[in-house]
Amino acid sequence: MSDHTIALIKGDGIGPEIVQSACQVLDAVGEQHGHRFVYRDYLAGGSAIDALGEPLPDATVEGCRAADAVLLGAVGGPKWDALPRDAAPERALLGIRSALRLYSNIRPVRQYRALRDASPL
């Protein structure tokens, strides 16, 4: 059985719930295919602001760099809307992408025939 370290950034709002469910799926896949996932929790976004006063702590960046993969939940929410732009929870997303030299956020897309003319795709 091989071990893989996953940095978990649970985020805010519904983020922790989604990340927890994703970990359950990963564990089931791991059982089927002989992998064991070791999860390490890190803060980013609003939860990091509340705990440490900044959206992306250095410890989170270092933990993500040391991991085999990063699982990131949603960050931000109305609680932090009044913060200045450079201190907003969403700054963590750009910061972690930059620190890990990632440049895209690819999501699956389904184009509906009825909306084809309204789509830029």
Side-chain angles (χ1 to χ4, degrees), residues 18-100:
I18 299 298
V19 169
Q20 179 182 354
S21 294
C23 290
Q24 291 172 346
V25 171
L26 285 170
D27 289 339
V29 169
E31 272 186 46
Q32 294 257 326
H33 297 282
H35 302 293
R36 187 173 82 99
F37 299 107
V38 178
Y39 303 109
R40 306 258 190 261
D41 290 315
Y42 298 97
L43 294 174
S47 59
I49 292 168
D50 289 348
L52 303 169
E54 59 181 319
L56 185 60
D58 290 340
T60 297
V61 173
E62 293 309 313
C64 290
R65 283 185 178 143
D68 296 309
V70 177
L71 182 55
L72 171 68
V75 298
K79 177 180 179 181
W80 302 280
D81 281 351
L83 291 174
R85 189 176 194 177
D86 63 335
E90 295 79 12
R91 296 297 296 176
L93 298 176
L94 295 175
I96 198 67
R97 285 182 192 153
S98 176
L100 299 178

Side-chain angles (χ1 to χ4, degrees), residues 111-119:
Q111 187 178 45
Y112 295 100
R113 189 175 299 270
L115 297 173
R116 186 178 298 154
D117 293 334
S119 173

Side-chain angles (χ1 to χ4, degrees), residues 88-110:
E90 295 79 12
R91 296 297 296 176
L93 298 176
L94 295 175
I96 198 67
R97 285 182 192 153
S98 176
L100 299 178
R101 299 177 56 149
L102 302 171
Y103 61 91
S104 64
N105 183 6
I106 300 173
R107 298 173 187 214
V109 174
R110 177 176 294 149

